[in-house]
Amino acid sequence: MKITFFIPPVIDPKERPAERTAGCTTMVYPMINIYELTIAAILGKEGYEVAYEDFINSGRTMDDFKNFLQKDDSDVYLFWSVNLSIKNDVAVSEWIHEYSPEAYIIYLGPGPTFYVKEFLQNSRQIVVRGEPDITIQELCSLIAQGKDYKEIKGISILSSEGKVQNNPPRELLKDLDSLPFPARHLVDKNYFSNPKLKRSPYTAMITSRNCPFQCIYCVPSSLTFARELESKAQTGKKPFISKRSVENVVEEIEQLAREGYKAIGFMDDNFIITEKRLKPIAEALKKHEIIWGCQARADAITENIAAILADTGCHYIDLGVESFNDEILEYIKKGTNRRQTMNAIRLLNKYKVPVKLNILIGTSPLETKETIKETLNTAIKLKADQVMINIVAPFPGTEFYDLAKKNKWIVGGEYVPTDVQHHSILSYPNLTNEEMEKLLFWYNIKFFFRPAFIFSQLRRFSTFSEFWKAMKALKNKLTTWKK
């Protein structure tokens, strides 16, 4: 049986493609989807013929896509879909069935997990909800054998009466070491980059799934968000955290070093859990002279951890700051405060570990133009290496969505997929969506066009290619796209 994973081209050339790993923005720079590639590795071990067709990063057009479909003979096509790609993916699926009416189309990711009905148009379409790894393995086995798959856990299908049938959920994975390493050989490593690391070849890794904290707005990476949506729908609670063993993580680092990778970005929602776990992983990276970066909470940064990061080639820490206003932080259940964030930044600066501050504006009705300006001006004064400013979106499945819906903060009354790096669908009585968009734009300009920022970044590029990729990412960050 032949199975093909798709990242399809964008139908409307005026629109930017969705970023499918973080899942809540359009693409700023090319990110490898290790969630899909893990599933591809599972299926490859089962003996299927597995292909991966990335029409975005390979620069192929919609005409190329149609020509491919005319010649292709895959039995199963898989899409990793997020909210911003729903419309595009559903439309593309119609063309697949025009050329291959008997092929199965399987949808994965947070988009189909929540918006099940939109993805089910006929009996050959299947939604795999939540954490997909084991469900996909069982589903493809039954399809290959021509056996009935319609009662397996974790899927949604159309019943014989044409109604949506949501089967019971799949149990979550506890032992992530049982999974194979992502099938990176299926993609061209030269497609991918990370302007925060500025070294190639670059790839991403993940060592855990989910985090224990209760931020009301949070949309974690697209895999853990799908996991979270399914868990909340079934139990009303966040799922438990699954972690790979240190030995398993180090083994993958050793493999990536043999394959020539020079930079790794860790996609964990919360990479720095304990010093004991961090140290051997960081030492393995140092051993192979691999530069790296990760996401972390401010309250995880201690003097010892900052020293480890500096010593082992950590080239960025993504700190989820959101706001420097303690009242807002308490409202959104962040679990950190301004003092902790300032202390984390102080320690990272002391050990010369580059800091990226993630600012999320509009997370609370307490937010005003003045609180936004105070947070953004503070971020600039702190001389962070990078700042990512987004506007909060009321993603369905979050506590913030329920609040926004109840209090009528959503423009138009209901969530629609929105690029949070450019646009807002929120409007408070004392703060409109247009005001938030203007502040977002002008503070991006203010931060990224400072001479001090420009000169500090230029010194870090070793090749013109790396510089050019970073410039393209900055252009995407600052350029709006069609609403």
Side-chain angles (χ1 to χ4, degrees):
M1 186 167 76
K2 183 177 180 181
I3 301 171
T4 295
F5 289 78
F6 265 143
I7 300 181
V10 177
I11 295 173
D12 187 343
K14 295 179 182 178
E15 293 191 354
R16 189 177 299 149
E19 200 290 301
R20 295 175 186 249
T21 53
C24 57
T25 69
T26 54
M27 185 180 290
V28 174
Y29 55 87
M31 284 291 293
I32 185 170
N33 192 327
I34 52 172
Y35 316 133
E36 274 189 314
L37 292 175
T38 299
I39 298 166
I42 292 170
L43 298 176
K45 287 184 69 174
E46 295 292 316
Y48 304 117
E49 180 183 352
V50 179
Y52 194 97
E53 297 293 337
D54 182 347
F55 283 82
I56 297 298
N57 290 310
S58 62
R60 287 178 286 172
T61 66
M62 189 58 68
D63 287 338
D64 294 327
F65 180 70
K66 292 180 179 179
N67 289 335
F68 172 85
L69 290 177
Q70 286 180 327
K71 301 172 184 177
D72 190 59
D73 60 351
S74 295
D75 302 288
V76 178
Y77 295 98
L78 289 97
F79 287 83
W80 187 277
S81 193
V82 295
N83 291 1
L84 284 169
S85 72
I86 291 173
K87 181 180 176 182
N88 196 80
D89 294 347
V90 170
V92 163
S93 298
E94 295 178 7
W95 286 325
I96 292 176
H97 275 154
E98 180 180 333
Y99 293 107
S100 302
E102 296 304 308
Y104 288 93
I105 299 177
I106 303 175
Y107 301 102
L108 327 168
T113 295
F114 191 85
Y115 294 100
V116 173
K117 186 176 181 181
E118 283 81 342
F119 287 87
L120 296 178
Q121 305 301 318
N122 61 58
S123 62
R124 291 284 178 171
Q125 296 177 334
I126 305 166
V127 163
V128 173
R129 306 188 315 272
E131 187 173 61
D133 312 78
I134 304 306
T135 304
I136 284 288
Q137 186 177 20
E138 182 180 356
L139 177 60
C140 287
S141 175
L142 293 173
I143 290 174
Q145 297 174 69
K147 294 183 177 179
D148 183 15
Y149 59 84
K150 295 180 181 178
E151 300 301 322
I152 71 170
K153 293 181 178 179
I155 69 168
S156 296
I157 57 173
L158 285 183
S159 69
S160 56
E161 293 81 25
K163 296 181 180 180
V164 174
Q165 173 183 316
N166 293 314
N167 290 359
R170 173 77 53 177
E171 296 81 3
L172 293 174
L173 275 168
K174 293 183 179 179
D175 179 18
L176 297 186
D177 287 4
S178 64
L179 298 174
F181 299 150
R184 294 180 177 88
H185 65 279
L186 294 176
V187 299
D188 187 337
K189 66 173 68 173
N190 295 313
Y191 287 160
F192 307 105
S193 62
N194 185 330
K196 299 190 292 293
L197 289 175
K198 304 179 178 69
R199 191 181 295 177
S200 298
Y202 159 82
T203 192
M205 277 183 66
I206 188 166
T207 74
S208 63
R209 296 180 178 181
N210 279 100
C211 83
F213 299 97
Q214 303 295 324
C215 307
I216 66 173
Y217 57 85
C218 188
V219 175
S221 64
S222 60
L223 169 62
T224 50
F225 190 44
R227 203 174 187 253
E228 198 162 286
L229 285 168
E230 180 73 350
S231 178
K232 286 181 176 178
Q234 303 298 329
T235 69
K237 299 178 181 178
K238 290 185 64 158
F240 57 76
I241 304 167
S242 297
K243 297 190 293 287
R244 295 168 59 187
S245 69
V246 168
E247 294 77 14
N248 185 254
V249 174
V250 170
E251 184 182 347
E252 184 176 0
I253 291 170
E254 298 278 353
Q255 176 178 302
L256 293 176
R258 290 192 298 270
E259 294 172 357
Y261 286 95
K262 303 296 184 184
I264 296 174
F266 290 94
M267 296 292 293
D268 302 50
D269 306 311
N270 186 32
F271 178 73
I272 301 176
I273 301 172
T274 64
E275 181 182 333
K276 180 179 178 181
R277 186 173 192 270
L278 170 67
K279 191 168 183 178
I281 295 172
E283 290 292 345
L285 294 160
K286 178 184 178 180
K287 171 185 172 183
H288 295 289
E289 299 181 343
I290 294 173
I291 64 171
W292 61 283
C294 67
Q295 300 175 101
R297 285 172 58 89
D299 53 0
I301 307 300
T302 64
E303 184 99 23
N304 286 347
I305 282 177
I308 292 169
L309 299 174
D311 181 58
T312 57
C314 179
H315 278 224
Y316 73 85
I317 291 289
D318 269 3
L319 282 184
V321 173
E322 323 316 349
S323 174
F324 285 102
N325 183 293
D326 280 341
E327 289 186 10
I328 291 173
L329 292 171
E330 183 176 1
Y331 183 96
I332 64 178
K333 302 180 183 178
K334 179 67 181 176
T336 57
N337 56 41
R338 178 188 176 102
R339 178 186 55 80
Q340 290 171 310
T341 299
M342 300 296 274
N343 184 57
I345 295 167
R346 178 186 63 80
L347 288 170
L348 293 169
N349 286 340
K350 175 181 176 180
Y351 286 91
K352 296 182 172 55
V353 178
V355 183
K356 177 191 168 193
L357 303 180
N358 293 309
I359 307 295
L360 193 59
I361 64 179
T363 56
S364 159
L366 303 175
E367 191 87 279
T368 63
K369 286 192 287 185
E370 288 69 33
T371 62
I372 293 172
K373 289 177 180 179
E374 196 274 334
T375 285
L376 297 178
N377 285 329
T378 300
I380 291 173
K381 290 175 184 176
L382 289 169
K383 299 179 181 178
D385 189 69
Q386 296 270 352
V387 171
M388 170 72 81
I389 311 168
N390 291 331
I391 303 174
V392 71
F395 289 101
T398 64
E399 183 180 344
F400 184 69
Y401 169 80
D402 295 334
L403 286 168
K405 185 83 171 169
K406 177 182 177 181
N407 290 283
K408 299 181 180 179
W409 298 333
I410 305 175
V411 177
E414 186 53 88
Y415 168 82
V416 293
T418 306
D419 183 355
V420 297
Q421 290 191 19
H422 298 109
H423 301 298
S424 173
I425 57 169
L426 278 177
S427 195
Y428 296 114
N430 60 335
L431 183 67
T432 68
N433 57 328
E434 290 90 352
E435 288 171 328
M436 285 189 277
E437 289 174 0
K438 287 178 182 177
L439 285 166
L440 172 73
F441 177 79
W442 286 112
Y443 270 90
N444 268 326
I445 296 294
K446 188 174 181 179
F447 182 86
F448 289 103
F449 286 89
R450 291 176 299 130
F453 173 80
I454 294 169
F455 291 132
S456 70
Q457 298 301 305
L458 285 174
R459 289 197 302 268
R460 296 179 183 176
F461 295 106
S462 57
T463 67
F464 179 78
S465 174
E466 291 169 4
F467 170 77
W468 182 245
K469 288 177 181 177
M471 290 303 98
K472 288 174 67 177
L474 181 59
K475 177 179 179 292
N476 288 338
K477 181 191 290 289
L478 298 177
T479 306
T480 59
W481 63 296
K482 177 184 173 183
K483 287 190 179 182

